[in-house]
Amino acid sequence: MATGGGAGVVVFYPAGRDLPAWRERHTAGAAPDRWPYGLDRLDRFLPVVTARNLPNVSSAGRAARRLKALLPPGRRPGRPVGVTWDENAGVFLSTTGALSARYSGVVWLTDSVARQGGSAFHGMRRAMRRMDGLWVLSDAQVAPLTDFLGSGAPPVHYVRFGVDHDFFRHVTYPARPLVVSVGGDRDRDPETLLRAMTAVRRARPDVDIVVQSKTSIDPPEGVTVIPYLTHAELRDLYARASVVAIATRPNLHVSGMTVGLEALSTGRPLVITRTPGMDDYFGGTTAARMIDVGDADGLARETLAMLDDPVSASVAGTAGRAHVEAGFTTAQLAGRIADVIRSR
């Protein structure tokens, strides 16, 4: 087992991540978890867990790391275990020395390889093969990533995501109708979302709609688009919402699951696109309804059904909160990652 022993575990974050500022916001009640993604909670399962930033690397430093990547990774017994959240930070972890083992999550790589081909990601493949273990957040990613990495690669584990249910606390269902959509990652589908919201407004002109997105599409009348929300603003917006609606394009990494779980944690029902892996997160609760990719009519229909029956929507939201507490908190996520680290 690679638990780090007395040397412990170091969670490495990107060089630009301001960890002291994050901790200050968390202490002030303005950010979830003490560290991003709740990895501070690893200290419940593993000894001596600390966090630090990966170093800023100059052009010369990058060249040196590329040369180092051609050598065996090297493992130093008695030194800490290194952990990173995703493959982009994992590239730097792969050539970070003085570690007994290295573990990383993989988020976007499987979709990138599927769309662009594996030859475009040879360097990423080499870096991930230097790890002692990897985890993904969707079971639909396990086989593609395993195939891409090839024989002799580290094991790939499926780890269910979680959110800070203390920060995204359950709030009484609102009286005023409001539809909320949040998220601007590369696999969101603003075209389908805004078509659906147009239909919602046509049927229920009394309903306000707020969309957090960086889309350049002009929103329909009655839909407010904002580019960015702080964590505290996002929490307050969920609290005002009657239903949260998410539209995504085809993907393997379960785009939208973070927002979906945060909404359920707040006690808000969810309408979301069904993509591979989504059933593992929302298939077991009445709080979520799933629609097909590109189905604007279905997204509008299910959203309106919840708006038109606020009593049932409130009950569904309460069920959603219980669903998160039962298996989708950051403490539970940390426990699953700790199992990956201990599995070696």
Side-chain angles (χ1 to χ4, degrees):
M1 291 186 183
T3 62
V9 174
V10 179
V11 180
F12 288 91
Y13 289 96
R17 176 74 76 179
D18 191 338
L19 293 175
W22 183 287
R23 287 192 290 268
E24 288 176 8
R25 290 196 300 273
H26 171 69
T27 301
D33 296 298
R34 189 157 47 91
W35 303 344
Y37 310 109
L39 296 182
D40 55 294
R41 298 178 190 263
L42 284 170
D43 64 8
R44 301 186 183 187
F45 309 97
L46 300 169
V48 196
V49 179
T50 58
R52 71 179 68 157
N53 291 104
L54 290 160
N56 280 308
V57 180
S58 65
S59 298
R62 288 178 184 272
R65 281 180 176 260
R66 285 195 293 271
L67 291 174
K68 191 173 183 180
L70 300 176
L71 303 174
R75 296 171 178 87
R76 295 179 59 180
R79 301 296 294 177
V81 170
V83 176
T84 55
W85 176 252
D86 64 45
E87 62 268 38
N88 294 322
V91 167
F92 292 95
L93 181 68
S94 71
T95 54
T96 297
L99 296 172
S100 62
R102 300 169 182 84
Y103 295 86
S104 181
V106 174
V107 180
W108 301 280
L109 181 57
T110 51
D111 286 305
S112 298
V113 168
R115 293 164 186 169
Q116 301 177 46
S119 60
F121 299 95
H122 177 73
M124 183 71 74
R125 178 180 182 272
R126 184 169 54 208
M128 294 302 99
R129 285 177 59 87
R130 293 169 65 85
M131 299 297 166
D132 293 271
L134 301 165
W135 73 83
V136 292
L137 303 176
S138 166
D139 60 354
Q141 293 176 291
V142 175
L145 182 58
T146 301
D147 290 345
F148 172 67
L149 295 178
S151 176
V156 177
H157 304 263
Y158 165 46
V159 170
R160 289 189 304 178
F161 187 64
V163 296
D164 185 349
H165 70 299
D166 295 319
F167 183 82
F168 295 104
R169 56 187 177 270
H170 190 192
V171 180
T172 302
Y173 195 76
R176 183 175 178 178
L178 171 66
V179 178
V180 166
S181 186
V182 174
D185 75 39
R186 65 193 74 176
D187 290 309
R188 289 298 207 275
D189 184 357
E191 295 87 357
T192 295
L193 175 71
L194 292 176
R195 287 202 307 272
M197 294 304 101
T198 299
V200 169
R201 277 285 298 181
R202 187 181 304 119
R204 289 286 303 270
D206 61 311
V207 174
D208 293 325
I209 301 172
V210 176
V211 174
Q212 182 269 307
S213 173
K214 294 182 179 179
T215 180
S216 60
I217 301 172
D218 290 333
E221 183 179 356
V223 177
T224 301
V225 175
I226 52 179
Y228 175 78
L229 291 165
T230 66
H231 286 103
E233 291 168 341
L234 176 59
R235 179 182 57 191
D236 293 344
L237 186 60
Y238 288 142
R240 292 168 44 213
S242 307
V243 56
V244 173
I246 304 293
T248 70
R249 302 183 178 102
N251 70 91
L252 298 178
H253 73 272
V254 204
S255 173
M257 67 180 172
T258 302
V259 171
L261 291 173
E262 290 169 352
L264 264 58
S265 185
T266 312
R268 299 300 174 260
L270 172 72
V271 184
I272 193 166
T273 304
R274 176 183 275 111
T275 54
M278 196 67 77
D279 279 296
D280 288 344
Y281 287 91
F282 304 114
T285 175
T286 58
R289 301 182 183 185
M290 286 181 276
I291 52 96
D292 293 335
V293 171
D295 186 4
D297 291 340
L299 183 58
R301 181 179 61 252
E302 297 295 350
T303 301
L304 285 166
M306 291 182 175
L307 289 169
D308 291 342
D309 190 354
V311 173
S312 295
S314 177
V315 171
T318 299
R321 172 68 184 192
H323 180 71
V324 170
E325 290 177 339
F328 298 94
T329 69
T330 44
Q332 292 157 337
L333 167 64
R336 295 170 192 133
I337 294 174
D339 287 343
V340 172
I341 296 170
R342 291 190 293 241
S343 67
R344 180 173 177 266

